[in-house]
């Protein structure tokens, strides 16, 4: 096999930070090369250098592609050479059709007039190649995320891709869609297309990758050849620079009395009012307990949590919520917070943070009264609070004056967590608390969860990662299609048992 | 993980001070830039007009001419920070002026009573618009565009197409009066000067105190030289201007009103929970709502407040012209909005300061005034003002990209 890409001694500096420090990356033609590392290790930066987002001259080192030193000035330059990057946040226009999206900026046209027949014919071909059974005229927002991902790949194929870069392609996909995507990558390998796969999901990587490059703090620390058998533990050790004996902190739960009891909770869809998104769910959680909510995407877990938290989602909400045995008023977010509830969102950028604001201003946002003296904010107290949580949660930043938009995903998650810890709730609902964040930061967040439970708080964790639920909870509720379909002590639970609970209940309702 | 963060300051103290200063400038270039822009523009016109710009009589005039824009810019800043816009303020200003004229001149209502009613009416107008924006999520652009047409029409109806005036002499004092001088200065308003110096001293003292607090809690990141130069500049400018104005007839009443409004609203915006929450809903409304912030109610109050300030500006404007005309307030909303954006507010909300908006209004005002003195026609004045607005926002976007 020939080397298709060699990045030599790439160094990229931002004001005050060395994001990449003499990184070498060498990719063989026709392989699947995985790029792993903690958040902020420099994976995305390296790929931005490669694809010309950071133009030639803004970094030092050489990119040798196809045996020639390249000087990409922009993305168009690298795309012309067949290097296509698909970002984690998809770049599709939701209101346009699949075919229109595939040929966006690259329209099948003659003298500015689009040839629709040719467009749709070519699109159909490309869709067949990625195994997507949709008509090219279908609007992109009418298909699911997994299929949208395939449209992105079809778009890459239309540009005669030779090196496909996928940044966290499966982070928002369910198991089936992820599986399909990985199979597609393996098929591409057979056809000679090279892929670089950035992912946090080590099980997927060990399944498909031929070679793994591990980045840590801006340097390439190791290059692992998968043919010789690599364990996930090896990868993790290289990623964090220490071996994680256990991915979950040890715990010794002390479970007290029931604090929150929810009875027959039903929520309707805000637009399609006749659709029940949460259907008669009853559950309780105890002091000192970590309760997990398992389920597939769209099972209604987030909707349950948000509707409980000040009716922030849905309409025609019915049911009863009792805190310490007495009916609780959770009708607005303010009242829910006053009742001791907190909800840390799964979507931190949209619902969690004021991104343009600093850490200092984000942390106290849910509990401004605590740092204010009759409406006047005490800025010194505010700085103290932010500083305290920065230390406690080990938020990596230049200072609390850093804007949250510039933080990595894991650190953003910690700021959201800090905000709710400062509100001092009795019941803390964490929705996908570790989505898209790296192993090291995950462990830190698990530790925080454990410590909170030990301090007598009730914690509800919604997660799509079953190993995580099995690792950190005491009890697991399983939801499917809006209903609570199972409940088990974590000690007796397994991934298979949760999955089979979900599958057996599917379609019961209709 | 925390151990790995190295601290360059310990390695090279000399160079890091310089780098720190440069980094600070880069980060705060917008805040200083706007102030320097005002100083540069003033210096330019001072020279170009042969010293007329800062003559006591002209300086006083400058403040009187721009008072109503500044008053509205304060309210508009909050509206824009909250992520909205209010296009109706010019019409509301005209309508309230007309209402005051009809009440005082035609019906003989006491001007105090009329003034208070007018402020109330302004607040109610703001509430009516804010209600649809806050609780029914109708875009503020549409609601206030409608308001602009409605109140322009109502002004015409109220005045029956005629100008109404003149106002009683005491009412005119709002806009044309000066504070009395109990100290009995000889040939100048000594009290005004003392007041000006006192305010400047208080501001300086407060700045020093905050600085000391910051130093103690270790969050001071403004290099000392900057701190010293900035505050010395502000102090000198305030003392010099109060000297100039004291030399003419003293501080205008409107100036006192304006100064109070600036102080109070600056404090509200930067130091209170309410202010903090307005910035949060402008920055990310969904996140703010999920943090327990009642964004609808805050939006509603922001518009109510805007209405009241537009009414106050309406009274000042009517008193200044000494008559209410159907054309009063025409296109004022554009000047106000331009001032806020020149002052560094962001179109998407969540960013901006009261002082910035006021400085923005002064930049527009000084340019109007200076260009008029130079005899530049209204046609080119418009062109130049438009270009300055564009340049300010371009500068804003560019400096943000680099930072």
């Amino acid at each position: 096999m020939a080397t298709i890409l060699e990045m030599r001694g790439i160094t990229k500096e931002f004001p005050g930070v060395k994001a990449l420090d003499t990184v070498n990356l060498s990719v063989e033609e026709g392989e699947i090369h995985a790029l792993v590392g903690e958040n902020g290790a420099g994976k995305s930066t390296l790929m931005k250098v490669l694809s010309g987002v950071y133009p030639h001259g803004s970094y030092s080192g050489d990119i040798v592609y196809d045996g020639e030193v390249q000087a990409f000035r922009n993305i168009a330059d690298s795309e012309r050479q067949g290097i296509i990057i698909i970002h984690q946040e998809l770049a599709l226009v939701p209101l346009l059709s699949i075919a229109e999206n595939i040929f966006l900026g690259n329209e099948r046209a003659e003298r500015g007039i689009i040839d629709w027949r040719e467009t749709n014919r070519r699109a159909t071909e490309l869709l067949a190649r990625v195994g997507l059974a949709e008509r090219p005229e279908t609007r992109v927002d009418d298909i699911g995320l997994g299929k949208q991902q395939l449209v992105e790949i079809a778009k890459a194929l239309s540009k005669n891709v030779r090196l496909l870069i996928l940044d966290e392609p499966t982070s928002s996909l369910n198991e089936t869609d992820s599986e399909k995507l990985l199979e597609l990558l393996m098929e591409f390998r057979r056809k000679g297309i090279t892929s670089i796969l950035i992912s946090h999901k080590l099980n997927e990587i060990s399944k498909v990758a031929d070679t793994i490059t591990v980045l840590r703090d801006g340097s390439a620390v190791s290059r692992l050849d998968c043919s010789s058998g690599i364990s996930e533990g090896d990868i993790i050790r290289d990623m964090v620079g220490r071996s994680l004996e256990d991915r979950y902190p040890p715990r010794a739960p002390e479970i007290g009395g029931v604090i929150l009891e929810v009875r027959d909770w039903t929520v309707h869809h805000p637009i399609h009012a006749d659709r029940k998104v949460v259907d008669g769910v009853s559950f309780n959680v105890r002091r000192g307990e970590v309760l997990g909510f398992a389920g597939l995407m769209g099972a209604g877990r987030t909707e349950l949590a948000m509707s409980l938290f000040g009716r922030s989602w849905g309409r025609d909400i019915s049911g009863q919520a009792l805190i310490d045995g007495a009916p609780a008023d959770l009708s607005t977010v303010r009242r829910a917070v006053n009742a001791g509830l907190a909800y840390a969102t799964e979507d931190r950028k949209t619902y969690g943070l004021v991104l343009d604001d600093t850490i200092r201003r984000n942390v106290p946002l849910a509990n401004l009264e605590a740092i204010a003296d009759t409406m006047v904010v005490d800025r010194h107290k505010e700085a103290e609070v932010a500083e305290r949580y920065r230390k406690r949660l080990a938020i990596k930043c230049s200072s609390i004056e850093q804007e949250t938009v510039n933080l990595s995903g894991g650190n953003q998650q910690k700021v959201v967590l800090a905000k709710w810890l400062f509100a001092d709730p009795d019941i803390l609902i964490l929705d996908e608390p570790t989505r898209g964040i790296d192993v090291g930061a995950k462990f830190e967040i698990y530790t925080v969860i454990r410590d909170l439970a030990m301090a007598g708080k009730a914690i509800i964790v919604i997660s799509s990662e079953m190993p995580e639920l099995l690792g950190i909870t005491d009890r697991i509720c399983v939801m499917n299609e809006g209903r609570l379909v199972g409940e088990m002590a974590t000690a007796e639970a397994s991934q298979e048992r949760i999955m089979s609970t979900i599958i057996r209940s599917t379609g019961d309702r209709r | 993980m925390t151990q790995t963060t190295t601290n360059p300051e310990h390695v090279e103290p000399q160079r890091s001070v310089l780098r720190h200063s440069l980094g600070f400038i880069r980060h705060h270039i917008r805040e200083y830039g706007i102030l320097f822009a005002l100083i540069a523009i003033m210096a330019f016109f001072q020279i170009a007009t042969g010293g007329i710009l800062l003559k006591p009589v002209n300086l006083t005039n400058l403040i009187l001419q721009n008072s109503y824009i500044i008053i509205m810019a304060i309210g508009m800043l909050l509206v824009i920070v909250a992520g909205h816009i209010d296009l109706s303020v010019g019409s509301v200003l005209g309508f309230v002026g007309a209402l005051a004229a009809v009440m005082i001149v035609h019906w003989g209502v006491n001007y105090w009573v009329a003034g208070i009613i007018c402020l109330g009416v302004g607040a109610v107008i703001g509430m009516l618009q804010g209600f649809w924006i806050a609780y029914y999520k109708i875009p503020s652009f549409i609601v206030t565009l409608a308001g602009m047409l409605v109140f322009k029409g109502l002004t015409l109806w109220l005045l029956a197409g005629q100008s109404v005036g003149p106002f009683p002499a005491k009412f005119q004092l709002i806009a044309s009066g000066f504070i009395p001088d109990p100290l009995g200065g000889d040939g100048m308003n000594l009290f005004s000067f003392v007041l000006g110096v006192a305010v400047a001293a208080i501001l300086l003292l407060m700045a020093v105190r905050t600085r000391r607090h910051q130093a103690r809690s270790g969050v001071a990141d403004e290099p000392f030289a900057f701190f010293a130069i900035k505050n010395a500049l502000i102090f000198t400018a305030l003392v010099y201007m109060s000297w100039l104005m004291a030399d003419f007839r003293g501080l205008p009443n409107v100036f006192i009103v304006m100064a109070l409004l600036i102080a109070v609203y600056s404090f509200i915006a930067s130091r209170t929970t309410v202010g903090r929450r307005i910035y949060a809903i402008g920055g990310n409304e969904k996140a703010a709502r999920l943090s327990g912030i009642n964004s609808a109610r805050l939006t509603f109050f922001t518009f109510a407040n805007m209405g009241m300030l537009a009414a106050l500006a309406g009274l000042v404007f009517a008193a200044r012209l000494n008559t209410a005309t159907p054309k009063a307030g025409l296109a004022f909303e554009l000047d106000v909005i331009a001032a806020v954006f020149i002052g560094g507010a962001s179109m998407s909300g969540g960013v901006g300061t009261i002082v910035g908006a006021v400085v923005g209004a002064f930049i527009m005002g000084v340019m109007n005034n200076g260009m008029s003195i130079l005899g530049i026609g209204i046609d080119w004045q418009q062109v130049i003002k438009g270009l300055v607005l564009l340049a300010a926002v371009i500068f804003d976007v560019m400096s943000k990209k680099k930072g």
Side-chain angles (χ1 to χ4, degrees):
Chain A
M1 264 196 273
T3 302
I4 184 168
L5 170 76
E6 200 174 352
M7 297 178 86
R8 289 190 202 135
I10 305 287
T11 299
K12 167 81 189 164
E13 281 186 73
F14 294 110
V17 206
K18 215 175 212 179
L20 293 174
D21 190 358
T22 51
V23 171
N24 295 314
L25 174 72
S26 137
V27 180
E28 303 293 313
E29 181 143 27
E31 72 166 346
I32 297 178
H33 193 109
L35 201 55
V36 300
E38 296 190 309
N39 286 329
K43 298 168 305 223
S44 297
T45 312
L46 187 65
M47 290 303 105
K48 282 179 179 168
V49 167
L50 173 59
S51 58
V53 174
Y54 298 131
H56 181 74
S58 70
Y59 58 89
S60 61
D62 285 326
I63 299 174
V64 183
Y65 176 73
D66 248 358
E68 276 172 52
V69 175
Q70 304 284 346
F72 300 133
R73 285 160 305 166
N74 49 43
I75 297 180
D77 277 358
S78 63
E79 287 196 347
R80 218 168 291 131
Q81 302 275 352
I83 301 176
I84 312 275
I85 184 163
I86 297 178
H87 295 279
Q88 196 174 354
E89 273 110 32
L90 299 182
L92 297 174
V93 184
L95 294 179
L96 295 185
S97 74
I98 291 176
E100 283 170 305
N101 267 292
I102 289 177
F103 295 109
L104 196 63
N106 184 23
E107 288 82 0
R108 307 287 97 190
E110 215 158 311
R111 285 191 226 100
I113 296 165
I114 292 181
D115 181 346
W116 286 109
R117 222 158 22 141
E118 172 69 6
T119 300
N120 286 335
R121 192 185 62 74
R122 283 275 293 141
T124 313
E125 255 174 51
L126 291 166
L127 291 179
R129 277 181 70 189
V130 298
L132 178 56
E134 288 284 346
R135 293 166 52 79
E137 297 92 346
T138 309
R139 251 172 45 177
V140 160
D141 63 352
D142 288 336
I143 60 177
L145 263 180
K147 290 181 174 175
Q148 291 185 10
Q149 187 77 255
L150 294 178
V151 172
E152 278 273 16
I153 294 174
K155 187 174 168 185
L157 290 178
S158 80
K159 294 173 186 163
N160 296 320
V161 63
R162 291 187 54 214
L163 176 59
L164 182 64
I165 305 164
L166 295 139
D167 191 354
E168 297 272 357
T170 59
S171 68
S172 48
L173 301 189
N174 62 30
E175 301 255 337
T176 335
D177 286 345
S178 300
E179 196 74 15
K180 243 174 145 177
L181 188 81
L182 295 176
E183 267 162 31
L184 190 63
L185 283 189
M186 291 193 272
E187 196 186 312
F188 283 173
R189 173 166 58 190
R190 284 192 286 280
K191 289 182 179 157
I193 297 175
T194 316
S195 308
I196 295 179
L197 175 66
I198 300 178
S199 179
H200 285 305
K201 297 192 178 167
L202 300 184
N203 55 340
E204 292 178 356
I205 286 176
S206 42
K207 193 156 146 199
V208 301
D210 300 303
T211 319
I212 302 172
T213 295
V214 183
L215 288 184
R216 183 170 78 223
D217 296 334
S219 307
V221 289
S222 64
R223 191 186 142 90
L224 308 168
D225 187 351
C226 295
S227 55
S228 56
I230 298 285
S231 76
E232 286 184 26
D234 296 338
I235 307 175
I236 291 172
R237 196 185 49 241
D238 284 343
M239 275 169 74
V240 298
R242 62 191 144 92
S243 69
L244 278 183
E245 291 309 330
D246 201 336
R247 272 193 247 177
Y248 306 102
R251 21 199 329 267
E254 279 174 42
I255 295 174
V258 170
I259 177 162
L260 171 70
E261 165 122 43
V262 174
R263 289 184 192 151
D264 205 19
W265 199 259
T266 300
V267 181
H268 291 82
H269 193 278
I271 297 161
H272 312 290
D274 52 337
R275 231 178 83 198
K276 283 183 187 174
V277 180
V278 176
D279 189 358
V281 170
S282 302
F283 69 94
N284 64 41
V285 58
R286 295 164 177 274
R287 283 179 204 280
E289 182 181 40
V290 182
L291 174 68
F293 268 88
L296 302 175
M297 266 212 232
R301 295 168 299 163
T302 296
E303 291 78 2
L304 168 68
M306 285 183 76
S307 61
L308 270 173
F309 188 61
R311 323 221 146 179
S312 305
W313 197 92
R315 60 195 281 183
D316 304 334
I317 297 167
S318 62
Q320 246 193 323
L322 302 121
I323 290 181
D324 282 329
D329 180 5
L330 307 177
S331 57
T332 68
V333 172
R334 190 79 266 169
R335 284 175 192 157
V337 171
N338 290 341
L341 216 61
Y343 168 73
T345 166
E346 61 173 332
D347 187 350
R348 46 194 174 245
K349 283 189 180 151
T350 315
Y351 291 105
L353 294 170
V354 181
L355 287 169
D356 281 334
D357 264 346
T358 58
I359 298 172
R360 175 171 61 80
R361 288 170 72 107
N362 267 290
V363 169
L365 201 57
N367 193 13
L368 276 176
E369 285 79 13
I371 55 157
D373 185 9
T374 49
M375 290 183 56
V376 180
V377 173
D378 181 339
R379 286 176 295 184
H380 311 301
K381 213 187 259 176
E382 179 182 51
E384 272 169 36
V385 166
E387 191 60 35
R388 192 164 79 226
Y389 282 97
R390 183 187 72 75
K391 288 198 184 116
R392 179 168 161 197
L393 299 181
I395 299 171
K396 257 199 241 172
C397 56
S398 56
S399 81
I400 53 167
E401 298 300 327
Q402 192 170 350
E403 282 144 13
T404 50
V405 67
N406 296 326
L407 296 175
S408 69
N411 286 307
Q412 287 182 342
Q413 181 64 40
K414 286 179 187 174
V415 176
V416 174
L417 209 54
K419 178 170 82 176
W420 287 114
L421 292 186
F422 181 58
D424 195 25
D426 299 318
I427 306 148
L428 181 58
I429 307 175
L430 301 172
D431 197 348
E432 303 284 1
T434 63
R435 167 172 294 170
I437 72 179
D438 57 66
V439 181
K442 273 184 184 173
F443 189 85
E444 289 168 7
I445 285 174
Y446 298 148
T447 311
V448 172
I449 292 173
R450 178 197 65 181
D451 294 347
L452 288 170
M454 299 238 285
K457 315 264 182 208
I459 318 281
I460 297 173
V461 177
I462 298 172
S463 176
S464 298
E465 285 188 40
M466 281 188 263
E468 169 173 296
L469 286 180
L470 295 171
I472 64 169
T473 64
D474 300 306
R475 189 156 54 98
I476 296 176
C477 288
V478 184
M479 279 185 76
N480 190 29
E481 296 177 341
R483 287 165 306 127
L484 191 70
V485 294
E487 191 187 321
M488 55 193 90
T490 304
E492 295 156 14
S494 65
Q495 293 200 41
E496 293 74 25
R497 196 169 156 205
I498 295 173
M499 258 338 268
S500 69
T501 309
I502 293 171
I503 290 163
R504 265 189 284 118
S505 66
T506 299
D508 275 4
R509 190 163 44 164
R510 274 167 280 261
Chain B
M1 243 168 267
T2 39
Q3 302 96 297
T4 55
T5 47
T6 53
N7 196 343
E9 249 126 285
H10 295 305
V11 189
E12 283 175 277
Q14 281 297 311
R15 264 189 57 200
S16 84
V17 167
L18 187 70
R19 199 188 308 158
H20 180 63
S21 303
L22 284 174
F24 185 80
I25 296 179
R26 203 173 309 131
H27 208 81
H28 296 263
I29 194 159
R30 198 58 179 77
E31 293 150 44
Y32 291 99
I34 180 88
L35 206 60
F36 285 131
L38 177 62
I39 293 170
I41 289 172
M42 285 180 84
F44 171 76
F45 282 112
Q46 174 71 356
I47 295 163
T49 60
I52 297 177
L53 185 82
L54 286 183
K55 277 215 168 112
V57 57
N58 191 54
L59 188 66
T60 307
N61 231 330
L62 192 65
I63 286 170
L64 294 179
Q65 271 173 4
N66 291 295
S67 53
Y68 40 90
I69 298 291
I70 290 173
I71 290 171
M72 290 196 287
I74 291 171
M76 188 67 80
L77 184 274
L78 293 179
V79 169
I80 286 175
V81 162
H84 294 280
I85 194 104
D86 191 339
L87 299 174
S88 71
V89 294
S91 298
V92 173
L93 174 144
F95 176 73
V96 168
L99 184 66
V102 168
M103 280 198 288
I104 296 171
V105 178
H106 286 177
W107 304 345
V109 179
N110 174 290
Y111 63 88
W112 274 110
V113 178
I116 288 167
I117 291 175
C118 282
L119 291 184
V121 167
V124 170
I125 290 172
M127 287 180 201
L128 286 175
Q129 302 191 98
F131 174 76
W132 296 110
I133 296 161
Y135 294 101
Y136 284 83
K137 311 281 173 226
I138 315 287
S140 55
F141 190 96
I142 308 292
V143 173
T144 59
L145 182 65
M148 174 175 135
L149 296 171
V150 166
F151 292 105
K152 207 185 278 176
L154 287 179
T155 309
L156 273 172
W157 166 76
L158 204 56
L159 295 174
Q162 309 285 311
S163 290
V164 175
F167 287 100
K170 282 199 168 168
F171 180 76
Q172 290 173 43
L173 285 182
I174 302 177
S176 57
F178 296 86
I179 60 168
D181 186 9
L183 301 178
D186 192 19
M188 67 174 287
N189 191 323
L190 191 59
F191 180 64
S192 289
F193 180 58
V194 172
L195 196 67
V197 174
V199 169
I202 290 172
L203 281 180
L204 189 65
L205 214 71
M206 272 167 42
V208 171
R209 249 191 47 178
T210 313
R211 172 92 188 169
R212 272 225 303 269
H213 259 292
Q214 283 177 345
R216 211 176 307 144
S217 49
V219 291
D221 87 321
E222 189 178 33
F224 182 75
F226 278 84
F227 170 78
I229 293 172
K230 184 180 79 182
N231 284 289
L233 221 65
I234 293 173
F235 182 79
T236 327
L238 280 175
V239 171
Y240 181 58
M241 291 204 176
S242 44
W243 170 260
L244 286 176
M245 285 196 283
D247 199 35
F248 179 52
R249 291 176 63 186
L251 296 173
N253 291 336
V254 183
F255 181 81
I256 303 293
V257 173
M258 249 166 50
L260 279 176
L261 286 176
I262 293 170
V264 169
Y265 278 93
S266 262
F267 186 79
I268 291 176
S270 64
R271 297 291 300 278
T272 64
T273 52
V274 171
R276 204 41 84 68
R277 287 174 179 152
I278 291 175
Y279 279 87
I281 61 175
N284 184 347
E285 207 224 338
K286 288 171 180 162
R289 258 209 325 255
L290 271 182
S291 298
I293 293 170
N294 192 336
S295 73
R297 193 165 60 194
L298 275 175
T299 305
F300 178 74
F301 279 127
T302 308
F303 275 92
N305 175 65
M306 179 76 254
M308 192 190 68
L309 288 176
L312 177 61
L315 293 174
V316 171
F317 189 68
R320 181 171 155 75
L321 288 192
N322 196 16
T323 176
T325 75
K327 287 206 153 179
L330 209 63
F332 279 13
E333 58 278 350
L334 301 181
D335 279 347
V336 173
I337 292 167
V340 172
F341 286 132
I342 289 178
S346 154
M347 187 83 206
S348 52
V351 179
T353 61
I354 297 278
V355 174
V358 171
V359 172
F362 268 117
I363 286 180
M364 298 280 278
V366 169
M367 287 198 315
N368 275 335
N369 183 283
M371 288 192 289
S372 298
I373 297 172
L374 289 178
I376 296 173
I378 191 82
D379 40 6
W380 288 107
Q381 287 197 19
Q382 299 270 5
V383 173
I384 292 169
K385 278 183 345 192
L387 292 177
V388 166
L389 169 63
L390 183 64
V393 177
I394 289 173
F395 179 72
D396 219 15
V397 172
M398 302 290 267
S399 63
K400 200 172 175 187
K401 253 189 204 153
K402 269 187 225 141

